[in-house]
Amino acid sequence: MKAEILAVGTELLMGQIVNTNAQYLSSKLPDVGVSVYYHSVVGDNPERLKESLELALKRCDVVITTGGLGPTQDDLTKETIAQVCGRKLVLHNESLEDIKAYFKKLGREMTQNNVKQAYMPENSIILKNNNGTAPGCIIEQYDKTVIMLPGPPSEMKPMFDDFVIPYFRKKCSYTIESRFLRVFGIGESALETKILDLVDGQTNPTIATYAKDGEVTIRVSAKVEQGKEADQLLYPVIEEIRKRTGHSLYSEENKTLEQVAAELLMKNNLTLSTAESCTGGLVSQTLTNIPGISKVFMGGAVTYSNEAKEEYLGVKKETLIKYGAVSRETAYEMAEGIRKRLKTDIGVSVTGIAGPDGGTPEKPVGLVYIGLSSEQGTITKELRLTGSRNRIRTITALNVFDMIRRHVLKLEIDTGSKV
Amino acid sequence: MKAEILAVGTELLMGQIVNTNAQYLSSKLPDVGVSVYYHSVVGDNPERLKESLELALKRCDVVITTGGLGPTQDDLTKETIAQVCGRKLVLHNESLEDIKAYFKKLGREMTQNNVKQAYMPENSIILKNNNGTAPGCIIEQYDKTVIMLPGPPSEMKPMFDDFVIPYFRKKCSYTIESRFLRVFGIGESALETKILDLVDGQTNPTIATYAKDGEVTIRVSAKVEQGKEADQLLYPVIEEIRKRTGHSLYSEENKTLEQVAAELLMKNNLTLSTAESCTGGLVSQTLTNIPGISKVFMGGAVTYSNEAKEEYLGVKKETLIKYGAVSRETAYEMAEGIRKRLKTDIGVSVTGIAGPDGGTPEKPVGLVYIGLSSEQGTITKELRLTGSRNRIRTITALNVFDMIRRHVLKLEIDTGSKV
């Protein structure tokens, strides 16, 4: 089935928000047999919405709209689509009760304009909104399907996952199952070279790579009949990719590197502390975004100044003078210092030059040292990164997470390579 | 002039990347007299690209494409547009030299397929790519304009800013000048109520609000003839908004709250240290993303465990036992502790429950205390936030930046309100 995702909202055309909904839907629809052929965006204008909808219905089997279901006068999606499909809007009592209950839960008065949200196209499948007020719906119009979803991602995503995915799964004769293999430490072109014959040679499963900030995600997708297992198609390919990527393959479940590192720490009851200079708290902030991390993450120091490095980490003044704040030696003492001070199993450290200023010919922007200290000793790694301050900090943090992962899994750690 | 932004790339329809280009262009085009009416996305498919282009040329005056200008066989934008516009592709020697120079600078060999990028539609305006290999171009076709820009945002944005904006500015009889006023500490609906008569009453300038994570941005846009000053239109409205928002208005230049706080610290030579619990380094990480911050930011402690709070901040064991880690008292001692340990002018602190777990009836998820200590004493503030862990952490950090701003500017600080 061919699909178009039609977003409705002047705020998109004004550039106030990004159309992340289209991305989310696009990434999930192929798995239930729906191929996305077009994205489009129109403003809160009934004429243009009508034209865009008619075009979408002409060129696609499925049209999914996002936005324009709210209580205000601007919100015209439902009215316009009902008109195009020749359906009346009728009061859906259950939705009205839900909306009332929602306001009650928030302790707020429901204003009269909210009732509008409970008027739904007749003979449509109503999609309950568990995270907001506007219900969605599915209209089956001859051989076409129109699906209306709310605009806020926090409402749209769960509604799509809970109701639309199962709806298509039931209709589809086949299903596409995908596995996402995530690799860190091999550049995209190097990785492509490693698996090029697999990418070229396969039609089912298909293989695609996507790179971002030093990480590469490999998507392996198998098309199978409904109810059949995809594993026998996927397994040999994944096994081959495993062989070729080795320990650089860190997740087969599309987890982030910090998630993998955090889970390894939690599973093994290993406590962690962090000592950061140029990342300024990015390592600890990223880790502490993971619920439950407080069981293993004890704390950290963000030591920008030399004084803070001495005061909080016990880095020796002589080390800072002799080797400088950005050096293997300082990274070593920082990792060891934080581990001892906070009495954790593992201490990690970062010191470097994130730029855009502060570089010298000997120590250019992008030179970063990271360290990891444990009872088994302390190791350090030199990174030579390029790009913006933000990119250098991000890739540095990923290297720290990878170092933790490799340490816990007792894998080899390259101590001086570029990424 | 009506415009459509047509993005080309299967990776967008696969949901691998978000169409941030459309947002960027949409936010900037109105200022040079171009109104965006549609966004659309098609894959790397010449037939569908051709149809989409023809539709865009029918319904708009200006079509801006992004993507599909690269060296590979997938990249078909230029070829397809040249065909639709009836133009040949001819070698543009200057572009070829630029591409050669680009590879030389990187120290890489130029492969033959890169030459394709120097073939441009005849009689078009060539747009130099200073950040990559694929040049862009402008085709003026009867009364329509087609503009091709590369896909990577790092190449697209500077090319657009440097060449396309001036191109439209020259053509446009008027210009739209916008000011972005940023407000923190007043909710969106409360703010809308405050300025509703201004929003409704104005046609030039126009006023629009946009809210995100506890902040509201007010856009004031004036339409003036080319070469005329917009200030006399903008000024009275901005002055009125100033009166109504008071000290909650923190930037008239669309700066972020952390940028404003950081600039105030730098300008006044006030050093800062941070002590964070539930934000886990988000405050320090956000601040240290600002180049030059190392002049005033000395360091911080991320103290998740009670032990770390005692060890690094000197929070008294009795305080932790009597009032708990999430309390005004602990926030007080954390802020004072970090300031004294790192000998800074200002110390700030955060302790709270970011969730999703860890809440109790007395201390629910979203209860956060922040503190600020200086020579003049230490103040604390209670926040009661709702939403996801991420949202709670983000709004907490914003409150800390606002507290710093208000402290430096000697403004009143509300110590217990909700946000």
Side-chain angles (χ1 to χ4, degrees):
Chain A
M1 275 183 292
K2 286 194 208 176
E4 174 156 349
I5 299 168
L6 173 57
V8 187
T10 303
E11 67 277 20
L12 286 159
L13 296 182
M14 299 282 285
Q16 288 174 315
I17 55 171
V18 187
N19 192 2
T20 54
N21 284 340
Q23 182 202 22
Y24 186 82
L25 297 171
S26 298
S27 71
K28 296 219 152 185
L29 284 164
D31 295 351
V32 286
V34 181
S35 304
V36 178
Y37 275 59
Y38 302 93
H39 294 173
S40 49
V41 180
V42 283
D44 302 315
N45 174 292
E47 273 315 301
R48 286 193 287 279
L49 172 55
K50 188 165 170 274
E51 281 167 27
S52 294
L53 181 71
E54 283 167 348
L55 173 66
L57 282 169
K58 214 168 77 185
R59 63 189 182 183
C60 288
D61 310 302
V62 175
V63 182
I64 303 183
T65 68
T66 58
L69 301 182
T72 74
Q73 293 199 326
D74 280 354
D75 295 305
L76 295 157
T77 304
K78 214 165 43 184
E79 291 71 9
T80 308
I81 292 177
Q83 194 202 329
V84 169
C85 295
R87 312 231 178 169
K88 272 187 229 148
L89 291 175
V90 292
L91 181 65
H92 187 246
N93 277 309
E94 208 182 310
S95 294
L96 185 60
E97 291 311 311
D98 286 344
I99 296 168
K100 282 181 184 166
Y102 184 86
F103 277 95
K104 204 173 170 190
K105 199 177 123 199
L106 289 187
R108 284 200 270 146
E109 199 67 34
M110 187 185 93
T111 53
Q112 194 52 35
N113 56 358
N114 281 289
V115 176
K116 169 175 176 291
Q117 295 176 106
Y119 278 85
M120 305 302 291
E122 55 186 348
N123 301 319
S124 64
I125 303 166
I126 308 298
L127 311 175
K128 205 173 155 81
N129 188 339
N130 292 318
N131 302 280
T133 51
C137 73
I138 301 177
I139 297 182
E140 294 176 335
Q141 182 84 347
Y142 310 108
D143 57 339
K144 307 282 182 174
T145 307
V146 183
I147 302 178
M148 288 173 246
L149 300 174
S154 60
E155 303 176 24
M156 190 285 292
K157 289 180 187 181
M159 187 183 287
F160 177 79
D161 291 345
D162 295 346
F163 305 119
V164 182
I165 286 281
Y167 171 81
F168 282 119
R169 188 157 279 149
K170 237 189 271 173
K171 299 192 94 169
C172 182
S173 65
Y174 66 90
T175 181
I176 292 180
E177 279 203 36
S178 298
R179 298 283 184 279
F180 295 86
L181 311 185
R182 293 178 69 146
V183 175
F184 183 76
I186 310 178
E188 189 184 23
S189 48
L191 182 63
E192 268 189 352
T193 310
K194 267 182 201 288
I195 62 169
L196 191 64
D197 58 311
L198 296 178
V199 175
D200 283 350
Q202 301 286 337
T203 53
N204 190 23
T206 56
I207 304 169
T209 61
Y210 176 60
K212 197 190 162 197
D213 287 342
E215 282 192 273
V216 184
T217 301
I218 306 170
R219 179 164 111 148
V220 187
S221 302
K223 189 171 170 174
V224 287
E225 269 179 62
Q226 276 288 3
K228 294 272 168 70
E229 282 288 319
D231 279 352
Q232 59 187 36
L233 280 168
L234 292 169
Y235 189 81
V237 177
I238 291 173
E239 182 56 29
E240 188 59 36
I241 294 172
R242 271 186 207 131
K243 270 187 217 157
R244 299 188 189 190
T245 52
H247 298 319
S248 298
L249 177 65
Y250 70 84
S251 172
E252 298 188 3
E253 295 158 307
N254 204 18
K255 286 183 181 169
T256 60
L257 199 42
E258 64 263 24
Q259 184 78 37
V260 169
E263 285 174 7
L264 282 169
L265 293 171
M266 293 194 255
K267 197 176 139 198
N268 292 279
N269 261 316
L270 292 168
T271 55
L272 178 78
S273 55
T274 56
E276 301 180 62
S277 183
C278 70
T279 41
L282 179 61
V283 172
S284 63
Q285 185 265 317
T286 307
L287 283 172
T288 56
N289 226 347
I290 298 167
I293 193 73
S294 59
K295 266 177 281 179
V296 293
F297 178 67
M298 294 300 115
V302 178
T303 53
Y304 243 52
S305 65
N306 280 350
E307 292 70 34
K309 290 184 184 79
E310 295 173 40
E311 162 79 18
Y312 269 168
L313 306 170
V315 174
K316 291 195 284 290
K317 201 186 262 308
E318 308 87 78
T319 306
L320 292 167
I321 291 168
K322 190 168 170 194
Y323 301 104
V326 178
S327 64
R328 235 182 236 283
E329 290 75 9
T330 298
Y332 188 104
E333 292 185 22
M334 286 172 73
E336 202 175 62
I338 193 75
R339 177 173 73 87
K340 290 186 174 167
R341 289 287 176 95
L342 292 186
K343 301 181 188 67
T344 55
D345 298 308
I346 299 171
V348 290
S349 67
V350 173
T351 182
I353 304 156
D357 306 313
T360 63
E362 297 79 44
K363 296 193 175 177
V365 168
L367 177 68
V368 180
Y369 294 94
I370 64 176
L372 185 148
S373 178
S374 72
E375 272 210 331
Q376 292 101 65
T378 301
I379 51 163
T380 56
K381 177 173 181 170
E382 180 184 293
L383 308 173
R384 288 177 177 269
L385 306 171
T386 55
S388 68
R389 182 179 179 88
N390 197 25
R391 181 172 188 270
I392 289 170
R393 284 160 50 108
T394 303
I395 297 185
T396 297
L398 289 173
N399 271 281
V400 172
F401 304 139
D402 194 49
M403 205 180 220
I404 295 170
R405 175 182 77 94
R406 287 175 178 265
H407 171 78
V408 178
L409 293 173
K410 300 189 172 56
L411 305 175
E412 84 285 6
I413 297 177
D414 173 4
T415 57
S417 72
K418 296 183 188 186
V419 168
Chain B
M1 276 183 291
K2 285 194 206 175
E4 173 156 350
I5 298 167
L6 172 57
V8 186
T10 303
E11 67 276 20
L12 287 158
L13 297 181
M14 300 282 286
Q16 288 175 314
I17 55 170
V18 187
N19 192 3
T20 53
N21 284 340
Q23 182 202 22
Y24 187 82
L25 296 172
S26 297
S27 71
K28 295 217 153 186
L29 283 164
D31 296 349
V32 286
V34 180
S35 304
V36 178
Y37 275 59
Y38 302 93
H39 294 173
S40 49
V41 180
V42 284
D44 301 314
N45 173 293
E47 272 316 300
R48 287 193 286 279
L49 171 56
K50 188 166 169 273
E51 281 166 27
S52 295
L53 181 72
E54 283 166 349
L55 173 66
L57 282 170
K58 212 167 79 184
R59 65 189 181 182
C60 287
D61 310 302
V62 175
V63 182
I64 302 183
T65 68
T66 57
L69 301 183
T72 75
Q73 293 199 326
D74 281 356
D75 295 304
L76 295 157
T77 303
K78 215 166 43 184
E79 290 72 8
T80 308
I81 292 178
Q83 194 202 330
V84 169
C85 294
R87 311 231 178 168
K88 273 187 228 148
L89 291 175
V90 292
L91 181 65
H92 186 247
N93 277 310
E94 207 181 310
S95 294
L96 185 60
E97 291 310 312
D98 286 343
I99 297 167
K100 283 182 184 167
Y102 184 86
F103 277 94
K104 203 172 170 191
K105 198 177 126 200
L106 290 187
R108 283 200 270 146
E109 198 69 32
M110 187 185 95
T111 52
Q112 195 51 35
N113 57 358
N114 280 291
V115 176
K116 169 173 175 291
Q117 296 177 104
Y119 276 84
M120 306 302 291
E122 56 186 346
N123 301 319
S124 63
I125 302 166
I126 308 299
L127 309 175
K128 205 175 158 79
N129 189 339
N130 293 317
N131 303 279
T133 51
C137 72
I138 301 176
I139 297 183
E140 294 176 334
Q141 184 82 349
Y142 309 110
D143 57 339
K144 308 281 182 175
T145 307
V146 184
I147 302 177
M148 289 173 244
L149 300 174
S154 60
E155 301 176 25
M156 191 284 293
K157 289 180 189 180
M159 188 184 287
F160 177 77
D161 291 346
D162 295 346
F163 305 120
V164 182
I165 286 281
Y167 171 81
F168 282 121
R169 188 156 280 148
K170 237 189 271 172
K171 298 189 93 168
C172 181
S173 65
Y174 67 89
T175 180
I176 292 180
E177 280 203 34
S178 297
R179 298 283 183 281
F180 296 86
L181 311 186
R182 295 179 69 145
V183 175
F184 183 77
I186 310 177
E188 189 184 21
S189 49
L191 182 63
E192 266 189 353
T193 310
K194 266 183 202 286
I195 62 169
L196 191 63
D197 59 310
L198 296 180
V199 175
D200 284 351
Q202 300 287 337
T203 52
N204 189 24
T206 56
I207 303 169
T209 61
Y210 177 60
K212 197 189 163 197
D213 288 341
E215 282 192 272
V216 185
T217 301
I218 307 170
R219 180 163 108 149
V220 187
S221 302
K223 187 173 171 174
V224 286
E225 268 177 64
Q226 276 289 3
K228 292 271 168 73
E229 281 290 319
D231 279 353
Q232 60 186 37
L233 281 168
L234 293 168
Y235 188 82
V237 177
I238 291 173
E239 181 57 28
E240 189 59 36
I241 295 172
R242 271 185 208 133
K243 271 187 213 156
R244 299 188 188 190
T245 51
H247 298 319
S248 298
L249 176 65
Y250 70 83
S251 172
E252 299 188 2
E253 294 157 307
N254 204 19
K255 287 183 181 170
T256 61
L257 200 41
E258 63 263 25
Q259 183 79 38
V260 169
E263 285 175 7
L264 282 169
L265 292 172
M266 292 193 256
K267 196 176 139 196
N268 292 278
N269 261 315
L270 292 169
T271 55
L272 178 78
S273 54
T274 56
E276 302 181 61
S277 183
C278 70
T279 40
L282 180 61
V283 172
S284 63
Q285 184 265 320
T286 307
L287 282 173
T288 56
N289 226 346
I290 298 167
I293 193 74
S294 58
K295 264 177 282 178
V296 292
F297 178 67
M298 294 301 116
V302 178
T303 55
Y304 243 52
S305 66
N306 281 350
E307 292 69 33
K309 289 184 184 76
E310 295 173 38
E311 161 77 19
Y312 269 170
L313 306 169
V315 174
K316 292 194 284 290
K317 200 185 265 303
E318 307 88 77
T319 306
L320 291 166
I321 292 169
K322 190 168 171 192
Y323 302 103
V326 178
S327 64
R328 234 181 237 282
E329 290 75 8
T330 298
Y332 189 103
E333 292 185 22
M334 286 172 73
E336 202 174 62
I338 193 74
R339 177 174 72 86
K340 289 185 175 168
R341 288 288 176 95
L342 292 186
K343 301 181 187 69
T344 54
D345 298 310
I346 299 171
V348 291
S349 67
V350 174
T351 181
I353 303 155
D357 307 312
T360 63
E362 297 79 43
K363 294 192 176 178
V365 167
L367 178 67
V368 179
Y369 294 94
I370 64 175
L372 185 147
S373 179
S374 71
E375 273 211 330
Q376 293 101 65
T378 301
I379 52 165
T380 57
K381 176 172 181 171
E382 180 184 292
L383 308 174
R384 288 179 176 268
L385 307 172
T386 55
S388 68
R389 182 178 177 88
N390 197 23
R391 182 172 187 271
I392 289 169
R393 285 159 49 106
T394 303
I395 297 186
T396 298
L398 289 173
N399 271 281
V400 172
F401 304 139
D402 195 50
M403 205 179 220
I404 295 170
R405 176 183 77 95
R406 286 175 180 267
H407 171 78
V408 178
L409 292 173
K410 301 188 169 61
L411 305 175
E412 84 285 6
I413 297 176
D414 173 4
T415 58
S417 72
K418 296 182 187 189
V419 168

